[in-house]
Amino acid sequence: MADKLAKLEMDGKTYEYPVLEGSTGPDVIDIRKLYAQTGLFTFDPGFTSTASCESALTYIDGDEGVLLHRGYPIGQLAEHSSFMEVSYLLLNGELPSKQQLDDFTYTITRHTMLHEQLMTFYRGFRRDAHPMAVMCGVVGALSAFYHDSTDISDPEHRKISSHRLIAKMPTIAAMAYKYSVGQPFIYPDNSLSYTGNFLRMTFGVPAEPYEVIPAVERAMDRIFILHADHEQNASTSTVRLAGSSGANPFACIAAGIACLWGPAHGGANEAALNMLKEIGTPDRIPHYIERAKDKNDPFRLMGFGHRVYKNYDPRATVMQKTVREVFDALKVNDPLFETALRLEEIALSDPYFIEKKLFPNVDFYSGIILSAIGFPTTMFTALFALARTVGWVAQWNEMISDPAQKIGRPRQLYTGPTQRDYVPLSQR
Ligand code: ACO
């Protein structure tokens, strides 16, 4: 029995609902019996006040700008950890010992190759296909190649398919890129790190050796860490909803990729860099700030604002720092970075953005770094999908292992016509 109860009074009757406490964060009113008791649904489009599940993976305090994975602050993980270690942490709940990390890295490394027949699958796409279109298709197709690990009731199958997804995603993303530029696919090299291997598969060519630049490898790895998980965001909720029907994990992750593609979600990094290019120089910023504030103009500052963060996105802080590191390592300097810094400064001192608590999010600076490393804008969201796969897989596993798991099936407020009789075509 819960200590606290929420009371609902209606038509002279009082209904009581338990208030459940998490380990931190807002309590939730458990309304699971609401419909059975009252005949009413709740109405919450966009889930602004609805917890869709219980989860022990990631915690966000949007007002304070806090993001924790299994309790560890994202800033500490970005500074001291690696993407492989964070992946292990998200999947298993604790930081690994040296041996556990070595074993995990070894397993992931040995799953990086794709079934050779998948190469022909790639060739079915148009040359100019967006990499996210290729990612949706190829990841969905994995279930046709790896059906030996799709029994979701078997924990061993779930583990193997999770490892396959995390391991193969860099190969899939790199091949999507290679196909779009007409270069030969580069096979994985098991002597490299997860991230170094991805860089080589993306930028290497068979004609000459490829040398991974350690500072770039580190920056890329950090970008992967920053995107690894973000609790019940749109794409993760999509993965959970798809998985709640018992769909296989490859199909679920393909659904997550499709959702991530949208410009209000993962597609914002591409949109943010395109916006910075359109703005160009700092003197043009005031015009765009005015446009963003104009209700009659659909223009929004891309890479700004967040459903949960009403403070600086802690990932944007790390991202901003990483821009300078990458510029130093590559000895480049993109003037768009100055434009971005100035845009942030102007927006954060503007009453519109202050009042609505709109701050830079993870996508505001990531495009500048990725562009400096050499990725075309069309690859940005594909990289996000690559990194978020670990979060999707961890959340999917958590859901499937939960004995209380049910198929996700929201209700609705129906506003269409009530029952009426069919009118034959000749009488209409
Ligand atoms: N520029 C200008 N105004 C904005 C912006 C923005 N980027 N974001 C929100 N607003 C305004 C809205 O117009 C709205 O104003 P109103 O209350 O006067 O109508 C108010 O702030 C609240 O905005 P909503 O869209 O209702 O907030 P919501 O939580 O639904 O949306 C979202 C969050 C989608 C991220 C939004 O801020 C946005 O579109 N940002 C730009 C796209 C972006 O950067 N997305 C990446 C998110 S992070 C990620 O997915 C990894």
Side-chain angles (χ1 to χ4, degrees), residues 160-182:
I160 296 170
S161 56
S162 300
H163 289 165
R164 280 178 166 157
L165 275 158
I166 295 166
K168 293 183 197 309
M169 210 54 94
T171 319
I172 292 170
M175 286 184 175
Y177 172 70
K178 284 298 191 201
Y179 187 71
S180 72
V181 290

PDB file of all heavy atoms in Angstrom, residues 160-182:
ATOM      1  N   ILE A 160      22.368 -11.724 -27.409  1.00  0.00           N
ATOM      2  CA  ILE A 160      23.092 -11.815 -28.695  1.00  0.00           C
ATOM      3  C   ILE A 160      22.586 -10.754 -29.672  1.00  0.00           C
ATOM      4  O   ILE A 160      23.366 -10.054 -30.321  1.00  0.00           O
ATOM      5  CB  ILE A 160      22.966 -13.234 -29.317  1.00  0.00           C
ATOM      6  CG1 ILE A 160      23.627 -14.270 -28.411  1.00  0.00           C
ATOM      7  CG2 ILE A 160      23.584 -13.284 -30.714  1.00  0.00           C
ATOM      8  CD1 ILE A 160      23.351 -15.708 -28.793  1.00  0.00           C
ATOM      9  N   SER A 161      21.270 -10.601 -29.741  1.00  0.00           N
ATOM     10  CA  SER A 161      20.748  -9.608 -30.712  1.00  0.00           C
ATOM     11  C   SER A 161      21.142  -8.198 -30.274  1.00  0.00           C
ATOM     12  O   SER A 161      21.425  -7.343 -31.122  1.00  0.00           O
ATOM     13  CB  SER A 161      19.236  -9.754 -30.906  1.00  0.00           C
ATOM     14  OG  SER A 161      18.579  -9.661 -29.690  1.00  0.00           O
ATOM     15  N   SER A 162      21.197  -7.954 -28.952  1.00  0.00           N
ATOM     16  CA  SER A 162      21.628  -6.630 -28.462  1.00  0.00           C
ATOM     17  C   SER A 162      23.074  -6.379 -28.885  1.00  0.00           C
ATOM     18  O   SER A 162      23.413  -5.305 -29.384  1.00  0.00           O
ATOM     19  CB  SER A 162      21.544  -6.556 -26.936  1.00  0.00           C
ATOM     20  OG  SER A 162      20.240  -6.783 -26.512  1.00  0.00           O
ATOM     21  N   HIS A 163      23.928  -7.367 -28.668  1.00  0.00           N
ATOM     22  CA  HIS A 163      25.339  -7.219 -29.037  1.00  0.00           C
ATOM     23  C   HIS A 163      25.487  -7.031 -30.546  1.00  0.00           C
ATOM     24  O   HIS A 163      26.273  -6.199 -31.006  1.00  0.00           O
ATOM     25  CB  HIS A 163      26.148  -8.446 -28.583  1.00  0.00           C
ATOM     26  CG  HIS A 163      26.317  -8.517 -27.099  1.00  0.00           C
ATOM     27  ND1 HIS A 163      26.719  -9.638 -26.434  1.00  0.00           N
ATOM     28  CD2 HIS A 163      26.112  -7.584 -26.128  1.00  0.00           C
ATOM     29  CE1 HIS A 163      26.765  -9.405 -25.128  1.00  0.00           C
ATOM     30  NE2 HIS A 163      26.397  -8.162 -24.927  1.00  0.00           N
ATOM     31  N   ARG A 164      24.703  -7.798 -31.291  1.00  0.00           N
ATOM     32  CA  ARG A 164      24.781  -7.664 -32.759  1.00  0.00           C
ATOM     33  C   ARG A 164      24.401  -6.246 -33.184  1.00  0.00           C
ATOM     34  O   ARG A 164      25.053  -5.649 -34.038  1.00  0.00           O
ATOM     35  CB  ARG A 164      23.845  -8.668 -33.429  1.00  0.00           C
ATOM     36  CG  ARG A 164      24.433 -10.059 -33.494  1.00  0.00           C
ATOM     37  CD  ARG A 164      23.456 -11.033 -34.111  1.00  0.00           C
ATOM     38  NE  ARG A 164      24.136 -12.278 -34.460  1.00  0.00           N
ATOM     39  CZ  ARG A 164      23.528 -13.438 -34.597  1.00  0.00           C
ATOM     40  NH1 ARG A 164      22.220 -13.531 -34.430  1.00  0.00           N
ATOM     41  NH2 ARG A 164      24.216 -14.517 -34.921  1.00  0.00           N
ATOM     42  N   LEU A 165      23.337  -5.733 -32.603  1.00  0.00           N
ATOM     43  CA  LEU A 165      22.881  -4.393 -33.010  1.00  0.00           C
ATOM     44  C   LEU A 165      23.935  -3.330 -32.692  1.00  0.00           C
ATOM     45  O   LEU A 165      24.270  -2.496 -33.538  1.00  0.00           O
ATOM     46  CB  LEU A 165      21.555  -4.058 -32.310  1.00  0.00           C
ATOM     47  CG  LEU A 165      20.323  -4.599 -33.040  1.00  0.00           C
ATOM     48  CD1 LEU A 165      19.133  -4.736 -32.106  1.00  0.00           C
ATOM     49  CD2 LEU A 165      19.967  -3.704 -34.217  1.00  0.00           C
ATOM     50  N   ILE A 166      24.467  -3.364 -31.465  1.00  0.00           N
ATOM     51  CA  ILE A 166      25.467  -2.358 -31.070  1.00  0.00           C
ATOM     52  C   ILE A 166      26.712  -2.488 -31.966  1.00  0.00           C
ATOM     53  O   ILE A 166      27.271  -1.498 -32.427  1.00  0.00           O
ATOM     54  CB  ILE A 166      25.839  -2.524 -29.580  1.00  0.00           C
ATOM     55  CG1 ILE A 166      24.620  -2.234 -28.709  1.00  0.00           C
ATOM     56  CG2 ILE A 166      27.009  -1.621 -29.184  1.00  0.00           C
ATOM     57  CD1 ILE A 166      24.755  -2.692 -27.260  1.00  0.00           C
ATOM     58  N   ALA A 167      27.113  -3.733 -32.219  1.00  0.00           N
ATOM     59  CA  ALA A 167      28.348  -3.972 -32.976  1.00  0.00           C
ATOM     60  C   ALA A 167      28.218  -3.638 -34.458  1.00  0.00           C
ATOM     61  O   ALA A 167      29.156  -3.117 -35.065  1.00  0.00           O
ATOM     62  CB  ALA A 167      28.748  -5.443 -32.830  1.00  0.00           C
ATOM     63  N   LYS A 168      27.052  -3.930 -35.023  1.00  0.00           N
ATOM     64  CA  LYS A 168      26.914  -3.772 -36.483  1.00  0.00           C
ATOM     65  C   LYS A 168      26.515  -2.365 -36.897  1.00  0.00           C
ATOM     66  O   LYS A 168      26.656  -2.001 -38.062  1.00  0.00           O
ATOM     67  CB  LYS A 168      25.895  -4.792 -37.017  1.00  0.00           C
ATOM     68  CG  LYS A 168      26.397  -6.224 -36.884  1.00  0.00           C
ATOM     69  CD  LYS A 168      25.439  -7.225 -37.462  1.00  0.00           C
ATOM     70  CE  LYS A 168      25.747  -8.632 -36.972  1.00  0.00           C
ATOM     71  NZ  LYS A 168      27.141  -9.074 -37.122  1.00  0.00           N
ATOM     72  N   MET A 169      26.020  -1.588 -35.972  1.00  0.00           N
ATOM     73  CA  MET A 169      25.533  -0.258 -36.342  1.00  0.00           C
ATOM     74  C   MET A 169      26.626   0.618 -36.974  1.00  0.00           C
ATOM     75  O   MET A 169      26.362   1.274 -37.993  1.00  0.00           O
ATOM     76  CB  MET A 169      24.917   0.408 -35.109  1.00  0.00           C
ATOM     77  CG  MET A 169      23.825   1.360 -35.418  1.00  0.00           C
ATOM     78  SD  MET A 169      22.499   0.685 -36.432  1.00  0.00           S
ATOM     79  CE  MET A 169      21.362   0.182 -35.212  1.00  0.00           C
ATOM     80  N   PRO A 170      27.866   0.643 -36.442  1.00  0.00           N
ATOM     81  CA  PRO A 170      28.898   1.450 -37.115  1.00  0.00           C
ATOM     82  C   PRO A 170      29.171   0.961 -38.539  1.00  0.00           C
ATOM     83  O   PRO A 170      29.373   1.764 -39.450  1.00  0.00           O
ATOM     84  CB  PRO A 170      30.144   1.242 -36.234  1.00  0.00           C
ATOM     85  CG  PRO A 170      29.619   0.843 -34.903  1.00  0.00           C
ATOM     86  CD  PRO A 170      28.375   0.059 -35.178  1.00  0.00           C
ATOM     87  N   THR A 171      29.164  -0.344 -38.736  1.00  0.00           N
ATOM     88  CA  THR A 171      29.402  -0.890 -40.078  1.00  0.00           C
ATOM     89  C   THR A 171      28.268  -0.464 -41.016  1.00  0.00           C
ATOM     90  O   THR A 171      28.511  -0.038 -42.154  1.00  0.00           O
ATOM     91  CB  THR A 171      29.480  -2.439 -40.003  1.00  0.00           C
ATOM     92  OG1 THR A 171      30.230  -2.806 -38.844  1.00  0.00           O
ATOM     93  CG2 THR A 171      30.100  -3.027 -41.235  1.00  0.00           C
ATOM     94  N   ILE A 172      27.036  -0.556 -40.502  1.00  0.00           N
ATOM     95  CA  ILE A 172      25.866  -0.193 -41.331  1.00  0.00           C
ATOM     96  C   ILE A 172      25.916   1.291 -41.695  1.00  0.00           C
ATOM     97  O   ILE A 172      25.697   1.670 -42.850  1.00  0.00           O
ATOM     98  CB  ILE A 172      24.564  -0.540 -40.560  1.00  0.00           C
ATOM     99  CG1 ILE A 172      24.424  -2.052 -40.440  1.00  0.00           C
ATOM    100  CG2 ILE A 172      23.340   0.076 -41.241  1.00  0.00           C
ATOM    101  CD1 ILE A 172      23.310  -2.512 -39.510  1.00  0.00           C
ATOM    102  N   ALA A 173      26.232   2.141 -40.699  1.00  0.00           N
ATOM    103  CA  ALA A 173      26.258   3.590 -40.948  1.00  0.00           C
ATOM    104  C   ALA A 173      27.391   3.942 -41.907  1.00  0.00           C
ATOM    105  O   ALA A 173      27.206   4.731 -42.844  1.00  0.00           O
ATOM    106  CB  ALA A 173      26.424   4.344 -39.627  1.00  0.00           C
ATOM    107  N   ALA A 174      28.571   3.345 -41.680  1.00  0.00           N
ATOM    108  CA  ALA A 174      29.714   3.644 -42.548  1.00  0.00           C
ATOM    109  C   ALA A 174      29.421   3.202 -43.988  1.00  0.00           C
ATOM    110  O   ALA A 174      29.747   3.910 -44.944  1.00  0.00           O
ATOM    111  CB  ALA A 174      30.970   2.944 -42.026  1.00  0.00           C
ATOM    112  N   MET A 175      28.784   2.067 -44.129  1.00  0.00           N
ATOM    113  CA  MET A 175      28.468   1.576 -45.485  1.00  0.00           C
ATOM    114  C   MET A 175      27.423   2.470 -46.164  1.00  0.00           C
ATOM    115  O   MET A 175      27.463   2.654 -47.383  1.00  0.00           O
ATOM    116  CB  MET A 175      28.002   0.128 -45.429  1.00  0.00           C
ATOM    117  CG  MET A 175      29.144  -0.826 -45.178  1.00  0.00           C
ATOM    118  SD  MET A 175      28.572  -2.526 -45.234  1.00  0.00           S
ATOM    119  CE  MET A 175      30.124  -3.390 -45.056  1.00  0.00           C
ATOM    120  N   ALA A 176      26.484   2.987 -45.381  1.00  0.00           N
ATOM    121  CA  ALA A 176      25.488   3.917 -45.950  1.00  0.00           C
ATOM    122  C   ALA A 176      26.220   5.125 -46.526  1.00  0.00           C
ATOM    123  O   ALA A 176      25.893   5.621 -47.610  1.00  0.00           O
ATOM    124  CB  ALA A 176      24.490   4.356 -44.873  1.00  0.00           C
ATOM    125  N   TYR A 177      27.257   5.568 -45.803  1.00  0.00           N
ATOM    126  CA  TYR A 177      28.041   6.718 -46.277  1.00  0.00           C
ATOM    127  C   TYR A 177      28.830   6.353 -47.533  1.00  0.00           C
ATOM    128  O   TYR A 177      28.810   7.073 -48.539  1.00  0.00           O
ATOM    129  CB  TYR A 177      28.975   7.193 -45.162  1.00  0.00           C
ATOM    130  CG  TYR A 177      29.952   8.240 -45.626  1.00  0.00           C
ATOM    131  CD1 TYR A 177      29.518   9.522 -45.955  1.00  0.00           C
ATOM    132  CD2 TYR A 177      31.313   7.942 -45.766  1.00  0.00           C
ATOM    133  CE1 TYR A 177      30.407  10.484 -46.412  1.00  0.00           C
ATOM    134  CE2 TYR A 177      32.214   8.896 -46.213  1.00  0.00           C
ATOM    135  CZ  TYR A 177      31.750  10.162 -46.535  1.00  0.00           C
ATOM    136  OH  TYR A 177      32.623  11.108 -46.997  1.00  0.00           O
ATOM    137  N   LYS A 178      29.524   5.218 -47.465  1.00  0.00           N
ATOM    138  CA  LYS A 178      30.357   4.803 -48.599  1.00  0.00           C
ATOM    139  C   LYS A 178      29.513   4.666 -49.860  1.00  0.00           C
ATOM    140  O   LYS A 178      29.929   5.048 -50.962  1.00  0.00           O
ATOM    141  CB  LYS A 178      31.038   3.448 -48.295  1.00  0.00           C
ATOM    142  CG  LYS A 178      32.211   3.566 -47.338  1.00  0.00           C
ATOM    143  CD  LYS A 178      33.288   4.427 -47.936  1.00  0.00           C
ATOM    144  CE  LYS A 178      34.583   4.413 -47.208  1.00  0.00           C
ATOM    145  NZ  LYS A 178      35.399   5.595 -47.507  1.00  0.00           N
ATOM    146  N   TYR A 179      28.328   4.102 -49.702  1.00  0.00           N
ATOM    147  CA  TYR A 179      27.453   3.909 -50.866  1.00  0.00           C
ATOM    148  C   TYR A 179      27.080   5.259 -51.470  1.00  0.00           C
ATOM    149  O   TYR A 179      27.067   5.430 -52.683  1.00  0.00           O
ATOM    150  CB  TYR A 179      26.201   3.136 -50.433  1.00  0.00           C
ATOM    151  CG  TYR A 179      25.339   2.752 -51.591  1.00  0.00           C
ATOM    152  CD1 TYR A 179      25.754   1.766 -52.491  1.00  0.00           C
ATOM    153  CD2 TYR A 179      24.114   3.376 -51.814  1.00  0.00           C
ATOM    154  CE1 TYR A 179      24.981   1.426 -53.587  1.00  0.00           C
ATOM    155  CE2 TYR A 179      23.332   3.033 -52.909  1.00  0.00           C
ATOM    156  CZ  TYR A 179      23.764   2.053 -53.789  1.00  0.00           C
ATOM    157  OH  TYR A 179      22.997   1.722 -54.877  1.00  0.00           O
ATOM    158  N   SER A 180      26.815   6.252 -50.593  1.00  0.00           N
ATOM    159  CA  SER A 180      26.355   7.554 -51.088  1.00  0.00           C
ATOM    160  C   SER A 180      27.464   8.309 -51.824  1.00  0.00           C
ATOM    161  O   SER A 180      27.189   9.154 -52.659  1.00  0.00           O
ATOM    162  CB  SER A 180      25.809   8.401 -49.937  1.00  0.00           C
ATOM    163  OG  SER A 180      26.871   8.833 -49.119  1.00  0.00           O
ATOM    164  N   VAL A 181      28.737   7.996 -51.503  1.00  0.00           N
ATOM    165  CA  VAL A 181      29.823   8.695 -52.202  1.00  0.00           C
ATOM    166  C   VAL A 181      30.477   7.816 -53.280  1.00  0.00           C
ATOM    167  O   VAL A 181      31.462   8.212 -53.892  1.00  0.00           O
ATOM    168  CB  VAL A 181      30.914   9.229 -51.219  1.00  0.00           C
ATOM    169  CG1 VAL A 181      30.368  10.372 -50.384  1.00  0.00           C
ATOM    170  CG2 VAL A 181      31.474   8.129 -50.333  1.00  0.00           C
ATOM    171  N   GLY A 182      29.913   6.634 -53.469  1.00  0.00           N
ATOM    172  CA  GLY A 182      30.404   5.777 -54.551  1.00  0.00           C
ATOM    173  C   GLY A 182      31.757   5.143 -54.286  1.00  0.00           C
ATOM    174  O   GLY A 182      32.466   4.775 -55.225  1.00  0.00           O
TER     175      GLY A 182
END
